[in-house]
Structure formats: structure tokens, C-alpha cells
Amino acid sequence: MTTVRAFTCDDLFKFNNINLDPLTETYGIPFYLQYLAHWPEYFIVAEAPGGELMGYIMGKAEGSVAREEWHGHVTALSVAPEFRRLGLAAKLMEMLEEISERKGGFFVDLFVRVSNQVAVNMYKQLGYSVYRTVIEYYSASNGEPDEDAYDMRKALSRDTEKKSIIPLPHPVRPEDIE
Amino acid sequence: MTPGSRLKSFRSARSAHAHQLILLSSIMAARGHVQDPNDRRLRPIYDYLDNGNNKMAIQQADKLLKKHKDLHCAKVLKAIGLQRTGKQDEAFALAQEVAVLEPTDDNSLQALTILYREMHRPELVTKLYEAAVRKVPASEEYHSHLFMAYARVGEYKKMQQAGMALYKIVPKNPYYFWSVMSLVMQAISAQDEKLSQTMFLPLAERMVEKMVKEEKIEAEAEVQLYFMILERLGKYVEALEVVRGPLGEKLTSELQSRENKCMMLYRRLERWPECNALSSKLLLKNPDDWQFYLLYFDSLFHLIDQSWTPPQEGDHSAEGEVHASVSQTISFMEDRIATEEAKESKHLRGPYLARLELIRRLRERSCPEAQQLGEPLELMFQFFVKFGDKPCCITDLKIFLDLLAPDQHVQFINRLMEAVPLGSPGEDGFAFPGDTRALQRHLCVTQLSRGLGQQHLLNTEGKLGLIRELKAHYRHGLQFGKSCLKTELQFSDMYCLMAAHVYIDLWIETGDQSMLWQCLGLLEEGLSHSSSNAQFKLLLLLLYCRLGAFEPVVDLYSSLDAKHVQHDTIGYLLTRYAESLGQFAAASQSCNFSLRFFHSNQKDTSEYIIQAYKYGAFEKIPEFIAFRNRLNHSLHFAQVRTERMLLDLFLEADISSPLEESVKSMSLCPEEDDIPWDNLRDNRDLTVLVSWDPKDRQLNEEHQQRSLEDETLWLRLRSLTLRLIGCVSALNHPRATRNSEKTTENGVAAKPSSLQPLLSQLENTLNQATQFTEKQTQGQYPFLGPVASRLTQALSSGCCHCQLSSLQLPLHLQELETAGLDESTELQTQISNLFKSLAVQLQDILEKCKGDLIEVKDGQNKTQEFLLENLVYFVETVCIVLWVSNYCGSVLRPLKSSLQKKKKKKKEASSVTPPVLSAYQEFSGSLQSLLNQALELIKSQELSLTALKLGELSLEGQTQSEAEGTFTKTAIDKVQSSYLRSLQEIGELLKKRADTLKSLKI
């Protein structure tokens, strides 16, 4: 039971219950505005009947069409603790995939901390597979070592042969990804 | 990119240079392959600048300029280097040398643009490109830069013209629509609504219609803009035609975009049949979308009220079948539920909750059919059976609790408990859940029982028993989360939080502070098992602040990792207390976190307004502007701005640098009020702390309103005090103006006239504040809601009135300066009395600081944190009094010396000191003794705090286990250590102030 709508600037003042989660990054204003200005349709929020924000997804479309790399990208996906286990993340992902389908993307991809097993498993259940490992993609602040990321992908209907998700044999460095 | 993308043509219209330039060297990278020899020469300077090596950049530029005098860009790059090393004036002068030449080379233009942006002078960029397009009228690029430069400063009319000029040079659609959007912005920003409705918007509409007629509409963004215009004109019928017609087919990016727009228009047009039909259609597609249930019910009742009947022939409505009767709606709802029931898994909650919502609405209209849907208690029970193991079950059900009659509450909770699988009771009589699902169910019932007010009905014994039970469940539940990662919450965390809430209830009811200590201990225990739990941290933070202990709060807040916009929404938790508790270093730091965020906002948002034009996200442009205003008008922003300046003055003025220099360095202008009083926005997130309290104990709008008034009054007092200090500093050196023009710009030179009006404003505000606090004692804020501002405590300490009295002194001294000592007996008496009264007032404040911060009574410790706050008010007042006295001294000193000269001449034997001089000397003597007393007091408070053996005391007579005791002891230790630190910081500042006393000598 959710109202799903476009994320607006005013939601930035109300998303603490989602963003105080340790794995959810609160970005600088420019970051959000960039997404709102460039890909507003990819920034969706779910609201509970009482007005509480339940979760949101933020994404974009990028990549070269000629090289068959035009795709949807999940930049952030987060659900407040009390609204977990409702399939909300899956629903938001489905919407992002649908938008990417309409744009003619070849696949959808996302980055996730290798340690975030809960998320990795959820994405696997949603049909995503590890395409490659990106070494030290997440920089740590408190003296701990940088963490690797999985680049996970799911092919869209335009990629009929599912070429885009064939796993790379070797991990890559952050500077090697686009 | 695929055809039909909303961005297509907008993106391709973007000139290669329109990127936001972050790195200077990208200017060159963007210029393509042709290597200009100048580019090669400039390259090293760009690189130096990008690497932050400004010094080398300046040197390199100088070298280059020796050989190539006319390489203007080198000058500009040098100016950037100067600007970045703090030499603003030099940088500006150098940049103007180039700007007056009206350059048309790309390097210079881009570099100047960056420089002006860094100087926060975006208006100069417009001048630059105005000149450039004059010289190179056919340049698409310069015209487009000019448009963006106007956009950055919000010159909508000029944008409109620039857009059309662009379109004439290169007939690309985006340019045309930039111009149209600029008209819409003129409409939005126009003061005169009529002008918007009769001129700007119709013009914009005609411009789009022209393109429609010529079949030139290409992109989705263009249709969006057309829709925006029609909507703002109230032309909903026309808008509907657009959305439903061929143009509407372009609206594809956003999911369900056409349906959502149609729905919005049906509502505006009150086309209830369509609204009803479309919402039921959408609900069939997605039976979990709450907004459409609301619309479906709204439209039903409108149709009933209008006695709507379906047409004899044809469709019910443009959107298909209409359900215009309660019975049809009930059967639709029952079908939805039947569909859910038939599913094996993944049941949706929507249909079940919508049924409850329908009951509520039918009851509100006294429709007997409400009963057909079932008894709410039973339905909520069924809901619980289905969804009770979801953490959101409480959020779902709490909004329907008012459907239960009060006498059903107990029955309801008992009924739910029957559906909670618990094991058999143990020795302590508590039965526990066997897995996390059962735990969640049990937790939900507990939450509902609190929500129904049942916990509040318990007496002290009952509440203590409840706490025992909650703690037992909490600890029992920890076993399920043994494998939880550090970043995950424990399944049973919420029991712990609720037990803390009950402790707080007890503390408030009985005043027994041991409840609070145990509560702190419990939360510390909780945090040790679940280090990522933000709710634990927030409540701990609040409680420590309430206890006057700021030291532990710093770590707690930083572990929340609050950033950026969160400084605005929850930064108040930190800034409200830091300074008032005497932790000045932490206070500065917390103000800085927030200020850094607010200061970057202005520049940042402008860039993205421009991006929105580029990408055709027109509906975002007014949104971004409103957002920028919301941040600029933030209450918290005004507060930290003001408090930061006050704090700097309290800590530094006349200690590390003279008052007037401190004032000057912060560009404080006493005549200017930079706070948007009428538009202050309260961006605080006052519901960030979870609460399951019954509705009548929850935060309501009245609380929020009152809290805003409360904070605003306090802010007004502080801002007036600050401006008055600015006035006093200007009096000290009335000749400061002659130095340069710039000084006046900074407003250091206050006209003496601003003193009087500011004083009467302060007096008025103090009266208002007194009235407000008297009125306010009736209703407190909910404990988890906003905290009261510093107003009440400040008023009761007496500091506000004392500060006012001291700030009145300069007025009289000015008078004395003109009158001289000979003919001013009355005035002198007046001033002398003021001095005397000031000394008395200060002594009174100091009396209110006396006592032990932790008082031990009957083996229990009770904190007297208000003593700390009063001490801080004492110190603040001392600072102000000293600045004022300094000024008094500067007036009296020459009077005294001329008197002595006269005496020498006349060789008079009898020397009667004029009363004002002796009163002043007496007053500085009293100040000395007051400061000594205060320092003694602080020392003795420190000693008695250190001597306390708190841990042992706290546990006596308590029923805490040893482990619990350890956590409680930790909490007590933190409070004790924090008090000591506060005392130390306050003491240090007082000592420094005492050292300045000698400058008062005349």
C-alpha cells in the first residue's frame, strides 16, 4: 500500500528515516539536483498513507547506443527499515527497468558493496548477475580498507542474446569503467 | 539514444561548451582538436590551477605575460590564482583590465566566467557575453552562454530575448522553448498575478500553439511545457485535450504520465465520473496504489452528492464504467480482496487497508452500509493475522485505531495477542516468541497497545513491570540477530526503545531522575548490541542534551553521519545545545557544518537551474528555485549564522583582536537586517524520533507553530543583540570610515542613529518574549518533538534585561560626550545609577549559577544542569558589559584628562571627582570582584564534581543487574565528564575576559 510518485526537492527534507541507515549515502545537493534536472523520470519515491517516505530509487540512462552499451543505471535504492520485507525495492527496480525498456536500453546495471550480502542476494533474486568486480570502488573514510564492488547487470529485451551480461573473466579498476 | 527520448533534441542542442566546467583544463579539452599555439602556452597555467598550485600559476602567467603582453587569458588565469589565494581586490582589478577590452576569445571568456562565479558575481558574466554577442552576432555559442548567464541571475525577460535571438541564428527547437520557458518564469516571478494571467502566460501559450500548428513539436519536454502553461492558465479542458491527443503520445518517459495528468485534470475540472472510472481502472492494474483508492472514494461521494446517473446510451464516461453507488463500490472492494485471498503468497496490503478507509468514510457520512464491510476490530485482527509479521504493520494500523470504540481497546489487544505464537512462560512469568516472525507480531501488539494509550494508563508499579517485560523481550530477542552485520539492526531493538520511552514517561510523571539514568543505561546497552541504530543515537542525544551534557552528543551525532541537507533538517539537535551548555569549541564546529552547507547552496542550485534548461526538465525549474529559497530562508540557517557570529565575538573580540576588527571581519552590518522574518522556513525534521504515543500525545501542528514562534523570538533577540554589539563597536572608532570606500560597504561605520531604534526593537521583542513564555507554560511540547528554545531559561536568568541595560549606556555616554562634565549633573547621576544597577543585575545572574551541578540527596544524584546554562548567560552578559564599558572608558578618558589639565592650570586645591567618573571606577571594581567570584564558583563546582563517587551512589536502592549497572555508570560518567569540560571551557573564557579588565582603566 503505497503511493508511488516522482521524487521532488521537498522530499529531501523528509527522507531522514530512510537516509539515517548506515548503508544509505546522503549526497550533496548538486548530486540530487543533477539527477532531477537530467533524469527526473528515474527518481521515484514511495510514500505511505500516513505521509512517511518509505523508500526511493534514483537512476539514470547512459552509454553509447552504437556500442550497445546504452543502459539504465541504478544509482541509489533504499527502503526505510520499517518498510522492508514488503517487496518495495523489487517494485521500484521493476519501474526503473520499465523506464529503461522504453528508452531502448540494452540492460540495467548497478554497483553494490561485495560485503552487502543482503542486497546482492536480493538483486540476484530480481534477475541480476555479477558482470564484473570493480576493485576498491568504495573508498572508506575511517581508516578501513577500500571496498570492492560488484557491477551487477540484467539484460533488457533489446539485448536478445543477452550479450551484455556475459561476465568478464577479470576484475577491473574503477578508472577502467565508464 | 533512441528516438522519442524527452532529452533528445535538448541534449543535442547543448553546445559543446555548455558543460559545467569543474576543471579549468577541460576548457581546452572541450575545444576539440585544433591546437592553438596560445593553448599550448596556457596549458601549464591551467594545470597549476587545477592542481591547486596557485602560486606557480601566477608565476607562470607573469612569465608568459612578459613575452606576450596581449595574451589576455593569461591575465585572467593569473586573476583566478590571485582570487584563490585570497587577493580578491587584485584579482578583480586584473580581471576588469581584460573585461573592458570586451574579449571574444573563448579562453578568456570561459576563464572570466569561472572567476566571476568564484567571486559570487554572476551578474558580471552577463556583461561579458553581452559584449561578445555584440561583436560576434552570429555566434550560436556566445548567444547560448549569454542565455545561461541570464539564467544564473534570473533575468527572465532577457532570457526570453536571448532565446529568440538564438533561435533566429540556429532554428533549433530547444532555443525556441527556452524562450517560452523564460516567459513562464516571468509569469511565476511576477508580483502581479494579473500580468501573469493576461500577458506572460497567454504569450507563452501562443508561442507554443504556433509550433503545434506548424507541426514542429519534437520533444516530450515541449509537450510538458505546453501542459505546464495550460495548467497555470487554468485551461484544464485544453490541457486534457493535449494529454489525451496525439501530442500526449510523446509523454512516455515517466511511467503512467498521461494517466496521472488526466487524473489531476479530472479532479480540477470536477469530472467525477471520469475520475471514478479512471481510478478504478488503475486500481485493477495496481491494487496497491493508495492515491487511487483515495480518489476512487472521493469521486464516489461527489457522484452521490450530485445524484449522478449514467447516460441512457453509450459509455458511462470518457474513461469507461463508473461506480456511482455505495453498493457498487463495496462490491468492487470485495472483488479486490477476493483476488488477494485467492493468491498463494505476496498478498498486497492495499485492498485490506482501503476497506478500512472506506468504512471510515462511510461512517463519517453516517452511511449504514459501513456495516456491510465488517466490524473494524475483526478486520484489523484479520489484517494482523496476515501482515502482523511485517515491521510496517504498526504504521498501517495506527491510522485506523480511531475506528475502534474506547471500550474495545482491551478486547482488541487481547484478541491480537491470541494470534501471537509465544512459548510457555519461564520463571519470570514472561513468554517469548520462538522466531523473528513471532517476535515482530508480539512487538506490533505492544506498539499498538502503546498507541491506544494503554501503557500510559498504568501506574508507576505497572510501568516498572512493563519495563521489565520489555527488557526481557529485548534481551531474549537478541539471540535471533547473532549473525547480523554491524550495519543491520537487531530484530528486538524496538523493545529496547519502547522501554526507554516508558522510562521517560515515568521520569516526567514522578520527577525521579533515577529513571532517566536507567533509561540512558538501557539505551547505551542497546547501542552496544546494535551500533547502527539511529533511533538509539537520536534518543541518547536528546537525553544527554536535556541533562546538560553535550560532550557525548558530539560523537553520537557524528556517528549518525548526517550530511548536507541533513544539517538543515536535524542540525538543530546539535546547535540548540552546544553553546548554551558552554561547549564553545563544539558549538563553533556544529555551526560551521551547517553554514558550509548553506553557503554552497546558492551557487550550486543556480547551476542546476541551468542544467534543467539544457535537458528540458522545465517543470523542475520553478521547483529548484523554490528549493533554493527554502534553504535560503531556513530558520536554522538564520540561527546558525547569528549564533556563529555571536560566538566568535564572545570568544575572540577584545581577546585575540579588538572588537571592531572582529566585527569588521565578519562583515556585520548593524543597519542591515538580513533575516527574512516574514518568510522564515522551518525545515527541521521534528518527527525524526520514532514515537508510538497515542494521537493526543503526538506532535501536532499547534506544537510546530508554537515552536517556530518560540525559535523566531529567540532568534530576534539574538540578532538584535548582535547588531547592537556591531553598533557599539562602531562607536569605538567613529573614524573607521575614512580608510576606504570598502569599509563603508562592510558597514562597520554604524550611524549613531541606528543605536536608538535597535534598542527599542530589542525592548519590544523582550516584552513579546516575556508574554510568550508566560503563555507557554500551559502546554509543553511532546518529549520526542521539538525542544523549547533557549528563551525561557535566558529570560529567567535575567541576562536579557541586563544585556539591554548595558546596551543602553552608550546612548547616555554619547550625550555626556556632547554636554561635557561641567553642565551635566543630572545626566551623570543617571549614568551612575545605570552602572550601579548593572552591577546588581550581574550579581543576580551570578547568584542563579550557584549550587552543585550534581546534587546528591537520599543516595540519589540529581542534576542541576540549568546552573550551567545560567553560567553561560552570565559569561555572555559579561562579554557585552565589558565591550560597553570599554566604550564608556573611551568616552570618559579624554573628559578626565582635560579635567586634570584644567585643574593644573587653575591650581585648584580642592578636587571633587565628577560623580560619573567615580561611579565608573567603582563599577569596574565591581566587575573585577564579580569575575573573581565567578571564577571561584566554577573552581568549587569543579572540585565538588570531581569528588563525587557517582557510580556507587546511583545504584543504591535500584533494582538493576550488574550488567545494567555498568551501562548506567557509563552514562553517568559521561555526564560528569561533560559537566567538567563545560566548566573548564566557561572558566577559560572568563579568565580571558578578566584579563581584559585592565583596559577599562581611565
Side-chain angles (χ1 to χ4, degrees), chain B residues 234-421:
Chain B
K235 292 193 167 180
Y236 302 130
V237 180
E238 291 83 347
L240 199 56
E241 275 165 22
V242 170
V243 178
R244 290 178 63 96
L247 283 179
E249 282 166 24
K250 288 194 186 293
L251 300 171
T252 53
S253 287
E254 204 183 312
L255 297 181
Q256 232 168 260
S257 171
R258 287 174 92 179
E259 289 88 343
N260 288 339
K261 286 193 166 64
C262 284
M263 187 67 97
M264 192 258 280
L265 294 167
Y266 292 143
R267 268 173 60 203
R268 293 272 169 84
L269 288 165
E270 306 195 351
R271 289 199 185 167
W272 304 119
E274 279 77 13
C275 193
N276 183 279
L278 181 56
S279 45
S280 68
K281 255 198 305 199
L282 291 172
L283 285 172
L284 281 175
K285 225 168 76 186
N286 178 7
D288 213 29
D289 205 327
W290 189 243
Q291 57 191 327
F292 298 122
Y293 282 111
L294 300 181
L295 288 166
Y296 179 60
F297 299 149
D298 283 345
S299 58
L300 165 73
F301 295 120
H302 281 294
L303 289 169
I304 292 175
D305 292 342
Q306 291 171 357
S307 322
W308 183 85
T309 49
Q312 298 286 324
E313 292 171 41
D315 292 336
H316 279 186
S317 78
E319 294 287 352
E321 198 193 337
V322 175
H323 303 156
S325 70
V326 172
S327 61
Q328 275 171 303
T329 304
I330 289 179
S331 88
F332 177 77
M333 290 305 299
E334 276 167 352
D335 285 350
R336 297 289 66 68
I337 285 165
T339 313
E340 286 310 308
E341 294 286 312
K343 284 204 276 187
E344 294 259 320
S345 65
K346 293 197 174 162
H347 296 284
L348 298 172
R349 288 133 58 237
Y352 298 95
L353 291 166
R355 175 165 59 183
L356 289 165
E357 177 68 21
L358 183 57
I359 293 177
R360 183 209 304 284
R361 301 219 179 181
L362 289 171
R363 281 192 183 179
E364 276 167 10
R365 294 171 61 96
S366 315
C367 286
E369 290 99 326
Q371 284 165 3
Q372 286 175 29
L373 286 161
E375 167 61 29
L377 189 147
E378 185 55 31
L379 295 177
M380 284 160 82
F381 170 72
Q382 285 168 16
F383 185 88
F384 177 78
V385 171
K386 271 205 165 52
F387 303 107
D389 59 354
K390 307 276 185 200
C392 69
C393 189
I394 171 68
T395 321
D396 287 341
L397 287 183
K398 78 173 177 211
I399 44 180
F400 299 108
L401 287 179
D402 55 358
L403 292 180
L404 299 173
D407 60 5
Q408 286 182 309
H409 289 177
V410 177
Q411 186 198 347
F412 176 60
I413 294 298
N414 291 343
R415 185 82 206 276
L416 295 190
M417 271 315 278
E418 287 166 18
V420 181

Side-chain angles (χ1 to χ4, degrees), chain B residues 664-675:
Chain B
K664 186 179 157 190
S665 73
M666 53 182 71
S667 313
L668 168 64
C669 175
E671 293 92 45
E672 219 173 78
D673 188 355
D674 65 346
I675 297 175

